[in-house]
């Protein structure tokens, strides 16, 4: 996997397997966790690394993003979430490191293969979680051609599936704030 992410993440230097565990050593990068709040200078660097990441094709061993929703979406919607881009799917500020002039995406444990716009959508929700007003978060997302050309029915399937899975995990009441932010994406599409 690391060979595919070298342009957007730190390079893996070594790996040790022992006792059922994998220990990985990566190059040290001079960065801090991204600030995703409105007006942050980090937003441009995060956009730059996400734009670069959208050109990364997934290795064949990476699971399909659509398969995550097999239990909550009908089959006819699952095909809308297929694609060949390597997705991170967890672009929270702790997985986005920002340096003086670039950003890196780290912790690819939840990677999948799917449409390029998915990580833009997840990051847009993270902007709203950081108190970026929905209109500004959507304005940020609009710089990505993959997002502006995303098929509305595919975005609807993504939002529906994500919200259903989150409700299963935390309950309908506790899922409302997050699901409301995802709903902004669906209405914008």
């Amino acid at each position: 996997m690391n060979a595919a992410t070298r342009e957007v993440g730190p390079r893996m230097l070594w790996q040790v397997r022992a006792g059922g565990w994998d220990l990985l050593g990566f190059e040290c990068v001079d960065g801090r966790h991204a600030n995703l709040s409105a007006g942050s200078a980090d937003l441009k660097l995060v956009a730059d690394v996400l734009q670069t990441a959208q050109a990364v094709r997934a290795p064949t061993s990476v699971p399909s993003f659509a398969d995550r929703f097999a239990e909550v979406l009908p089959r006819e919607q699952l095909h809308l979430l297929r694609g060949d881009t390597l997705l991170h799917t967890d672009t929270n500020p702790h997985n986005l490191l920002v340096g003086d002039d670039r950003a890196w995406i780290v912790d690819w444990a939840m990677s999948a293969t799917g449409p390029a716009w998915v990580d833009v959508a997840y990051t847009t929700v993270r902007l709203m979680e950081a108190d970026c007003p929905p209109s500004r978060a959507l304005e940020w997302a609009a710089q990505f051609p993959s997002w502006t050309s995303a098929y509305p029915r595919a975005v609807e399937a993504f939002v529906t599936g994500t919200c259903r899975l989150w409700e299963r995990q935390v309950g309908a009441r506790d899922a409302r704030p997050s699901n409301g932010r995802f709903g902004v994406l669906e209405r914008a599409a």
Side-chain angles (χ1 to χ4, degrees):
M1 169 77 82
N2 190 248
T5 63
R6 283 191 183 150
E7 295 298 315
V8 296
R11 194 169 38 97
M12 186 173 72
L13 301 175
W14 51 264
Q15 177 178 9
V16 175
R17 290 186 174 135
W21 290 87
D22 281 335
L23 180 62
L24 309 174
F26 290 88
E27 72 178 320
C28 181
V29 296
D30 188 14
R32 58 178 167 68
H33 300 297
N35 175 354
L36 299 181
S37 61
S40 168
D42 293 356
L43 296 180
K44 182 192 178 325
L45 297 176
V46 169
D48 291 346
V49 75
L50 283 176
Q51 189 66 46
T52 301
Q54 290 187 1
V56 178
R57 296 299 156 246
T60 56
S61 60
V62 177
S64 171
F65 181 68
D67 292 346
R68 293 183 185 181
F69 303 99
E71 293 182 16
V72 295
L73 290 177
R75 184 181 306 226
E76 60 270 11
Q77 285 187 310
L78 293 177
H79 81 278
L80 299 170
L81 299 176
R82 299 204 185 281
D84 63 355
T85 300
L86 179 62
L87 304 175
H88 185 276
T89 78
D90 189 20
T91 53
N92 72 71
H94 292 104
N95 291 336
L96 298 166
L97 298 180
V98 177
D100 291 336
D101 60 356
R102 70 160 294 179
W104 298 267
I105 305 172
V106 299
D107 189 2
W108 289 79
M110 294 177 55
S111 62
T113 181
W117 56 264
V118 168
D119 279 338
V120 174
Y122 277 128
T123 309
T124 302
V125 168
R126 295 297 189 170
L127 268 64
M128 288 184 264
E129 288 174 353
D131 294 327
C132 188
S135 60
R136 299 251 331 251
L138 291 170
E139 184 178 296
W140 178 87
Q143 69 185 298
F144 295 91
S146 64
W147 173 251
T148 59
S149 65
Y151 185 45
R153 288 189 54 220
V155 175
E156 178 185 352
F158 165 73
V159 169
T160 300
T162 300
C163 291
R164 286 178 181 165
L165 288 175
W166 191 234
E167 284 178 8
R168 279 185 174 189
Q169 188 170 354
V170 301
R173 181 174 164 239
D174 290 338
R176 274 190 209 119
S178 177
N179 288 355
R181 289 185 285 272
F182 278 95
V184 169
L185 299 177
E186 185 175 4
R187 290 186 293 279

